[in-house]
Amino acid sequence: MREQPGSPVLTSVWPTGTASVAAQLSEGGYHDATGTDTALLAPAIARHAIEVFTPPGGVVLDPDCGTGTTIVEALRCGRHAIGLTGQRRWWRLARANVTATKARGVFVDGMVLVLDRRPGTAVAAATAGLIGRIDLLLTTLRRGPAGDLTAALERLNTLLTQYRHLVRPGGYVVVTCAPERHPAGHELLDVPGKITAIGAAVGLAPVARSVALTADVRQHRIRTHATAAERRAVAHAERALGHPIALPTHHTALVFRADPEAGSRATALPVPPLPARRVLPRLGDPARVLSNAA
């Protein structure tokens, strides 16, 4: 099928599903509590994006880094990295993960800061020195404590608006998201389409819509690594709909490039509400810095 001009093209499948997230965290030496961040960006997905979209010695930014998997994988790939988070508990875990990674012999710079974008704050000062120097802004769509998907999209809109000017001309922005079902009808929602619209609205040029696998094939059978929460959600949907539903086998990765001309005109725009119900034919397509991670 021919794509519409300017729309992202499904260009690749990322081989990131050979191990469960729990196994990735264990093998990577992450803090035991890292997995409590249910919205974390899987280390394998972060690593693939970093290796593909940044040069050695490049700079990676995650403006909503959670427990810091993006920052750790960037350091392990030989990239400098900075993570921002608005939650102190995530800051503590991210800092612990980054510090442990550096202790194992990583010699690039990495830090995690608590969000406060007011002029004169440490985050504002740190990011001001990074204007046009970020090679990759990499993050994942995160629901807030209330689990509101529309609020999560609004937050992503704000973050991309505030930090896309840090990305160098021709640099990349990658946003990942998990399949999302309507809470009442259980149909899959076109969240990737919403993210694409947000990126375009803030002056980013859509490049690709890729599949980041969270499952692998063994002996001609698909082996999914769905979490307990994902399995419960699918079981609930099966009971409501009366027929089997496949477990999720991938996340979607939306890839953009920085457009400097559009970026100078970018402002935060309201995110259109998600449809009440939509049937899709296939599976989901600081006031201060508490510390630098030493």
Side-chain angles (χ1 to χ4, degrees), residues 181-186 188 224 226-248 283:
R181 293 186 179 275
H182 191 282
H186 304 291
L188 287 166
T224 182
T227 65
E230 289 172 330
R231 292 177 185 276
R232 286 194 297 270
V234 167
H236 178 61
E238 287 179 333
R239 288 193 297 270
L241 298 176
H243 59 74
I245 295 175
L247 287 165
L283 188 62

Side-chain angles (χ1 to χ4, degrees), residues 174-191:
V174 177
V175 181
T176 70
C177 65
E180 296 275 1
R181 293 186 179 275
H182 191 282
H186 304 291
E187 301 90 354
L188 287 166
L189 297 170
D190 186 19
V191 177

Side-chain angles (χ1 to χ4, degrees), residues 157-195:
N157 185 20
T158 299
L159 289 172
L160 293 184
T161 300
Q162 292 176 327
Y163 293 112
R164 59 123 5 253
H165 69 286
L166 303 182
V167 182
R168 65 173 176 80
Y172 290 93
V173 173
V174 177
V175 181
T176 70
C177 65
E180 296 275 1
R181 293 186 179 275
H182 191 282
H186 304 291
E187 301 90 354
L188 287 166
L189 297 170
D190 186 19
V191 177
K194 294 292 181 183
I195 295 173

